[in-house]
Amino acid sequence: MAEKEEKKKREKPPEGLSKEELKEWARKKAEERRKLREAKKGEEKETKEKETKKEKKVYTNPLADRLRERFKEELSDISVDDPLRVSAFVDPTKVKEVMKILKEEFGLDHLMDVSGVDALKLKGADPNTFWVVYHLTSHDNPTILTLKAVIPRDNPQIDSIIDIYWNANWYERETFEFFGIIFNGHPKLKALFLSDEDIGQWPLRKDSPAYPNPNNTQR
Amino acid sequence: MMPMDEIKDSEMIVHLGPQHPILAGPFMLDLRLEGETVKEAEFTLGYGHKGVEKILEDRMYISCIPVTDRICYLASLSNNEVFCNCIEKLLDVEVPERAQYIRVILMELSRIQSHLIGLGEFAEFIGFMSMFMFLVREREDILTLLEMITGARLTHSFVRPGGVRLDLPENFKEKALKILPDFEKRVREDQETLESDEIYIERTEGVGVVPTSLAKEVGVAGPVLRASGVNYDIRRVEPTLVYKDLDFKVITATAGDTFARAHCRFEEIYESIYIIQQCLDQIPSGEVRAKLPKTLKPEGEVYCRVEDPRGEMAFYMIADGSPKPYRVRIRGPAYATLQALPPVLEGVYVADVPAIIGSMDGCTSEVDR
């Protein structure tokens, strides 16, 4: 609607001009309009940026403060994304110790999930890595702690936490069959959903072409 | 599959499934028996594997919604809800209040119909065939209401990022307020029929007990957890939508046996009806969908959860600013509950296995994804 009104408002060219003069006059007017439009856009951008800067709030969570005190070496980049979400990167060689302390001292008795992420095409992450992501929470407190262990792509191995959290069993098996991440110390690391022939395709990796793999002509 | 060479002469293996009348979907359960007692139970899964997580990585956000329906057809609305919740959190959009109320109504309706099917199947596994028919008959009323709102009886695809697809139909409130009290009366009758039956009590009380400590350790979800005495409901723990403004009880029981689990489901149905009645009273008028760009390009990392009919349903989404999600991880409640079955089945009689599996209300479609 605004554009239509603008068109109506446009000035009529002064009478008695030759064709070339008319063209020049139109060119000048068009440039003026363009400048006006750009100025408007710039203003909008500035206001938007200001808004987004205001929206970025800093949250605090008691769990994050306790973690910072207790784990000075094992955990890094502890951040609070939301009042109830704390995330951190964990040293992959010390996963077991950290989990044990978290369960016994911090009361995080509920392992919600263990999953894998392939960082091959993820912006801002090392492409030669996998993430193993743990989600921990407690039955008494709604805060969810997200722990990420970054492991190398050519040698994806990490300790199994099945001794500490019983229900890690199926989650680790699933992560193994879809990503090829090996959980050391898992008593029965084999396929859960896929058949044994499909092991080795690692379907959820980002370089896996399709699912099921059309190039696999054996089946 | 269990290795045959580890089996003693006095033991034997019984395969249940993948197609078996007592299983709530295709999975295989191997039972190692000594006499009539189960020594060990083991699962073979994957007969219904669809690869939902991979499919979601290759679709625009809007086209993902019908796929999330297919994770579990009985809980399709809560799957829609949690997926859209993730996008809303990433884009920082506020859902209009009317849409929030409509979503709550839908979630509760789908909880009722899921519990009815779950209880019906459970009664059927025990041998009470007519109870299945009764409960499916009552479920028809709820499906009518769902169909009025969404236009579909099973896979709804109704929730959208920033709201819902359509407003409530004109005469919905009158019709719902007319149907619901009558429906509740009939379900209460059915519950009385079931719970006053001596054979039913004998077959369920004290069978398949999950003590509180075990329930917490193995991580069961939903009514199974609450029947073991843990007061844990995402609607109360971490309320989304307008659950903060609504009055409801978290149903718990202390026994932790098969009877208590079925009882909890019946009680939750009545709580859901009460929630829907409150919503219909309180619902304000206004918009039902926030304005969003046509192509959604969220960016960031989010973990959202809602209370599914079966427990806590959570999505872990990583978005990289492109029109498709980078990674979506689905954490289902039936998965967690099914994993906990082998320790519960140890030491029970074979004849009790159907009752215990039925009371867990598994959904293999969601487990396999």
Side-chain angles (χ1 to χ4, degrees):
Chain A
M1 287 298 288
E3 281 181 15
K4 276 185 185 174
E5 277 169 19
E6 257 185 34
K7 273 182 189 173
K8 277 180 192 172
K9 276 180 190 173
R10 272 181 200 171
E11 297 167 38
K12 281 178 186 175
E15 288 173 18
L17 291 176
S18 68
K19 274 189 182 176
E20 283 183 5
E21 282 171 331
L22 260 177
K23 272 183 190 171
E24 249 181 44
W25 181 86
R27 216 174 284 143
K28 269 183 193 174
K29 283 286 166 189
E31 258 178 33
E32 276 173 24
R33 263 179 263 136
R34 201 178 300 139
K35 273 177 192 171
L36 267 177
R37 228 179 290 146
E38 274 169 11
K40 261 189 190 177
K41 269 188 188 173
E43 276 175 22
E44 277 176 11
K45 264 189 186 174
E46 275 176 18
T47 50
K48 265 189 186 176
E49 275 172 11
K50 273 180 192 173
E51 277 173 10
T52 48
K53 270 179 191 171
K54 272 180 194 171
E55 278 166 10
K56 273 186 186 173
K57 288 167 195 165
V58 182
Y59 299 109
T60 53
N61 191 307
L63 178 66
D65 304 334
R66 281 177 68 199
L67 286 174
R68 275 185 202 115
E69 264 181 36
R70 183 71 178 76
F71 301 105
K72 275 169 188 158
E73 288 177 10
E74 294 92 334
L75 299 189
S76 54
D77 289 347
I78 300 173
S79 62
V80 187
D81 322 322
D82 185 287
L84 295 178
R85 301 281 186 274
V86 181
S87 67
F89 282 90
V90 63
D91 184 349
T93 53
K94 288 173 185 163
V95 165
K96 238 176 160 177
E97 301 153 30
V98 171
M99 291 287 173
K100 201 166 188 183
I101 295 168
L102 284 176
K103 190 178 182 183
E104 282 164 8
E105 284 180 24
F106 287 74
L108 297 171
D109 55 352
H110 182 31
L111 176 75
M112 281 195 70
D113 205 350
V114 179
S115 60
V117 174
D118 185 357
L120 186 64
K121 292 171 186 170
L122 190 60
K123 276 180 219 162
D126 184 359
N128 292 318
T129 54
F130 287 125
W131 296 357
V132 180
V133 187
Y134 302 90
H135 292 284
L136 297 163
T137 182
S138 140
H139 284 104
D140 315 313
N141 191 335
T143 306
I144 294 179
L145 172 65
T146 308
L147 286 181
K148 291 175 211 154
V150 181
I151 51 176
R153 205 183 160 79
D154 47 0
N155 182 23
Q157 289 197 24
I158 193 165
D159 283 339
S160 166
I161 55 161
I162 192 165
D163 304 342
I164 299 145
Y165 290 101
W166 183 88
N167 59 339
N169 188 343
W170 279 12
Y171 296 121
E172 288 184 353
R173 273 172 77 181
E174 200 188 337
T175 312
F176 160 70
E177 69 182 343
F178 287 132
F179 288 94
I181 295 169
I182 290 161
F183 290 88
N184 294 324
H186 192 290
K188 206 173 180 180
L189 198 63
K190 58 174 198 171
L192 181 66
F193 296 127
L194 302 178
S195 57
D196 291 340
E197 309 141 36
D198 288 337
I199 288 289
Q201 290 194 23
W202 317 131
L204 277 182
R205 285 188 183 183
K206 283 286 169 183
D207 52 3
S208 173
Y211 187 55
N213 190 346
N215 300 325
N216 186 359
T217 48
Q218 287 176 347
R219 299 187 71 199
Chain B
M1 298 278 280
M2 284 180 186
M4 289 298 288
D5 47 333
E6 286 176 17
I7 310 270
K8 289 181 210 159
D9 288 349
S10 59
E11 293 172 344
M12 71 172 175
I13 294 180
V14 173
H15 299 294
L16 291 179
Q19 299 295 334
H20 194 278
I22 66 146
L23 298 182
F27 63 81
M28 187 149 79
L29 184 61
D30 295 348
L31 300 172
R32 187 156 66 88
L33 308 178
E34 180 154 16
E36 276 199 59
T37 317
V38 179
K39 285 271 167 188
E40 197 190 341
E42 198 190 313
F43 280 101
T44 309
L45 291 166
Y47 296 96
H49 180 55
K50 302 177 279 290
V52 170
E53 287 177 12
K54 186 79 177 178
I55 294 172
L56 291 179
E57 284 176 13
D58 202 29
R59 245 153 242 260
M60 311 274 272
Y61 284 94
I62 289 286
S63 343
C64 285
I65 294 170
V67 181
T68 59
D69 272 339
R70 270 76 182 172
I71 295 167
C72 174
Y73 67 90
L74 283 173
S76 51
L77 281 162
S78 38
N79 296 339
N80 288 175
E81 164 65 35
V82 64
F83 183 78
C84 295
N85 217 327
C86 284
I87 301 172
E88 282 151 13
K89 264 197 184 174
L90 287 176
L91 291 173
D92 207 5
V93 184
E94 202 177 331
V95 183
E97 213 181 331
R98 187 175 173 83
Q100 291 190 28
Y101 273 99
I102 296 175
R103 281 184 182 190
V104 170
I105 291 172
L106 287 170
M107 295 240 301
E108 296 305 320
L109 281 174
S110 80
R111 189 186 317 281
I112 294 172
Q113 56 95 10
S114 169
H115 278 353
L116 285 175
I117 275 275
L119 286 164
E121 277 184 349
F122 164 59
E124 197 194 351
F125 296 166
I126 279 184
F128 204 147
M129 289 289 197
S130 33
M131 185 49 68
F132 178 73
M133 297 300 163
F134 292 154
L135 290 174
V136 169
R137 184 190 64 197
E138 324 310 6
R139 180 172 174 256
E140 208 56 25
D141 284 346
I142 301 298
L143 285 186
T144 314
L145 291 178
L146 273 176
E147 196 183 358
M148 264 180 91
I149 305 178
T150 64
R153 286 163 65 88
L154 271 184
T155 41
H156 310 281
S157 306
F158 190 73
V159 182
R160 291 283 181 276
V164 289
R165 204 175 76 211
L166 289 170
D167 203 347
L168 290 178
E170 259 174 33
N171 53 349
F172 179 79
K173 190 177 170 186
E174 292 77 38
K175 192 155 186 188
L177 289 179
K178 200 177 143 199
I179 284 179
L180 287 172
D182 189 36
F183 164 82
E184 187 180 344
K185 207 177 122 201
R186 276 185 287 138
V187 177
R188 275 187 196 276
E189 269 173 25
D190 292 339
Q191 186 190 5
E192 214 191 317
T193 318
L194 191 66
E195 291 187 349
S196 63
D197 190 276
E198 273 182 32
I199 298 172
Y200 172 77
I201 293 173
E202 201 129 293
R203 288 209 57 186
T204 54
E205 258 185 0
V207 171
V209 179
V210 187
T212 311
S213 54
L214 181 71
K216 276 187 176 178
E217 199 196 331
V218 298
V220 291
V224 184
L225 182 66
R226 291 194 284 276
S228 298
V230 184
N231 190 334
Y232 189 67
D233 188 324
I234 308 299
R235 290 177 289 175
R236 184 56 56 78
V237 171
E238 197 191 321
T240 50
L241 302 176
V242 284
Y243 277 117
K244 265 175 275 175
D245 309 341
L246 297 170
D247 172 41
F248 63 95
K249 271 196 305 222
V250 177
I251 308 288
T252 54
T254 46
D257 58 0
T258 310
F259 185 89
R261 292 195 276 273
H263 185 78
C264 272
R265 289 210 178 86
F266 271 119
E267 295 294 322
E268 278 186 17
I269 291 176
Y270 312 137
E271 266 330 286
S272 293
I273 292 170
Y274 179 47
I275 291 177
I276 295 169
Q277 284 166 340
Q278 285 176 61
C279 284
L280 289 171
D281 274 348
Q282 296 176 10
I283 187 166
S285 55
E287 289 278 306
V288 293
R289 200 169 166 185
K291 276 186 182 167
L292 285 175
K294 259 187 186 173
T295 321
L296 301 173
K297 287 178 182 174
E299 193 170 2
E301 201 182 309
V302 76
Y303 195 74
C304 280
R305 53 178 179 171
V306 296
E307 184 73 17
D308 198 69
R310 288 180 178 77
E312 56 180 339
M313 179 80 187
F315 272 45
Y316 173 53
M317 186 190 281
I318 297 180
D320 58 351
S322 70
K324 293 171 185 172
Y326 183 81
R327 166 100 170 103
V328 182
R329 162 74 188 168
I330 301 155
R331 188 262 184 213
Y335 185 97
T337 309
L338 200 66
Q339 179 173 210
L341 254 180
V344 177
L345 287 181
E346 262 169 45
V348 303
Y349 289 125
V350 189
D352 290 335
V353 171
I356 297 169
I357 293 180
S359 71
M360 292 289 184
D361 193 11
C363 175
T364 320
S365 173
E366 183 210 276
V367 175
D368 286 352
R369 277 161 290 142

